[in-house]
Amino acid sequence: MTDLSAPSRVAVVTGGARGIGLAIGRWFLAHGYNVALLDIDVSTLDQAVADLAQPERVLGLHCDISNPSQVASAAKAVVERFGHVDALVNNAGVAVFKPVLQTSFEEWRTVLGTNLDGAFLCTQAFGALMVARGRGAVVNVASISGLRASTLRVAYGTSKAALIHLTKQHAVELGNAGVRVNVIAPGPVETEMAKLVHTVAIRSDYYDTIPLGRYGTTEEMANTVGFLCSDEASFINGQVLAVDGGFDAAGVGLPTLRKGAPAS
């Protein structure tokens, strides 16, 4: 239980204007944190901050996390407003879904620039603030596509696999200074974007493949991230946690055979 009378902790969430990022921001607010939401989409970010309706506790910052100077400016703004940082969630991400041989180098660099470079830059900037205080937590949001290859995800999947390893690199070094670094790998999640791009056929395939037979929720992702940032996870460092309903565990398990397996 968070002691709301104690000095507030501060969390920074990239890609915080919508979906999983916004749900993570809400989790932090509910647990007594002040929150800085970074996003490249100004109008959506402004709307999210307005909807949260806690101007004294929420700071919205327009930031392209693939741009070093913008990340540095965001870190300065967070310190000026809240004084310190206790948690960083590298959630911002982009995707290009194309066959391998049709993915241009520009598209490849765009995806890697946000999903990997952005996490590197933000951890450099905000991680340094936590290292200076000798405590803190970083959680990166990768994807099940970083653990298992899938069609049309050469740039996205590679960026998320690299993000998982980047997490371990940071965990090894920053852990020496009391800063834990972990990563979650979400499976399909019920977001507005998923509703737009996942056809009925794709959704049916996921339902057949995922042992729990459904998509995850943004709140389930936020609860997991929140736990990893909390004191309850104080000895967890350098780990990847698939939040996927058993998708990764199923491996190449055939849905047809699984349907015939006994329920008890």
Side-chain angles (χ1 to χ4, degrees):
M1 191 73 164
T2 301
D3 182 1
L4 297 181
S5 66
S8 293
R9 294 186 179 187
V10 178
V12 176
V13 183
T14 71
R18 62 170 69 79
I20 294 173
L22 183 55
I24 292 169
R26 291 184 187 278
W27 187 96
F28 281 121
L29 286 172
H31 289 78
Y33 286 70
N34 290 329
V35 178
L37 302 177
L38 278 56
D39 207 286
I40 198 171
D41 186 335
V42 178
S43 60
T44 304
L45 176 63
D46 289 346
Q47 186 61 57
V49 172
D51 290 344
L52 290 172
Q54 298 190 61
E56 73 286 353
R57 296 181 59 202
V58 179
L59 174 64
L61 293 170
H62 174 246
C63 181
D64 176 355
I65 62 166
S66 69
N67 184 310
S69 63
Q70 290 191 29
V71 171
S73 295
K76 180 180 178 182
V78 171
V79 171
E80 289 177 349
R81 175 69 176 274
F82 295 128
H84 64 276
V85 173
D86 297 281
L88 166 67
V89 181
N90 287 309
N91 166 74
V94 297
V96 172
F97 297 135
K98 283 187 175 182
V100 171
L101 299 183
Q102 294 177 24
T103 301
S104 69
F105 181 69
E106 181 180 6
E107 290 168 332
W108 167 270
R109 279 306 321 153
T110 296
V111 174
L112 271 290
T114 296
N115 298 0
L116 184 61
D117 298 350
F120 172 81
L121 291 170
C122 287
T123 304
Q124 294 289 98
F126 293 103
L129 300 175
M130 290 185 274
V131 165
R133 301 179 75 226
R135 62 182 183 273
V138 178
V139 175
N140 295 322
V141 179
S143 167
I144 196 67
S145 294
L147 294 174
R148 54 188 296 183
S150 57
T151 309
L152 308 182
R153 286 166 169 79
V154 63
Y156 182 75
T158 301
S159 72
K160 295 300 189 177
L163 180 58
I164 289 170
H165 191 74
L166 180 67
T167 299
K168 296 179 180 182
Q169 292 288 154
H170 278 136
V172 169
E173 295 194 37
L174 300 189
N176 291 329
V179 178
R180 299 179 299 103
V181 188
N182 293 290
V183 57
I184 70 167
V189 179
E190 286 286 8
T191 62
E192 291 304 314
M193 184 62 70
K195 292 174 183 177
L196 288 173
V197 302
H198 287 188
T199 65
V200 172
I202 288 174
R203 293 182 73 91
S204 178
D205 285 343
Y206 276 127
Y207 293 152
D208 282 346
T209 304
I210 298 170
L212 290 187
R214 65 174 177 86
Y215 281 37
T217 68
T218 57
E219 291 76 18
E220 287 171 324
M221 304 304 124
N223 288 340
T224 307
V225 169
F227 165 71
L228 290 173
C229 288
S230 74
D231 293 338
E232 283 72 22
S234 57
F235 203 54
I236 301 176
N237 187 39
Q239 300 304 304
V240 53
L241 179 57
V243 192
D244 65 351
F247 187 19
D248 184 51
V252 295
L254 300 178
T256 300
L257 295 179
R258 285 212 322 275
K259 285 177 181 177
S264 61

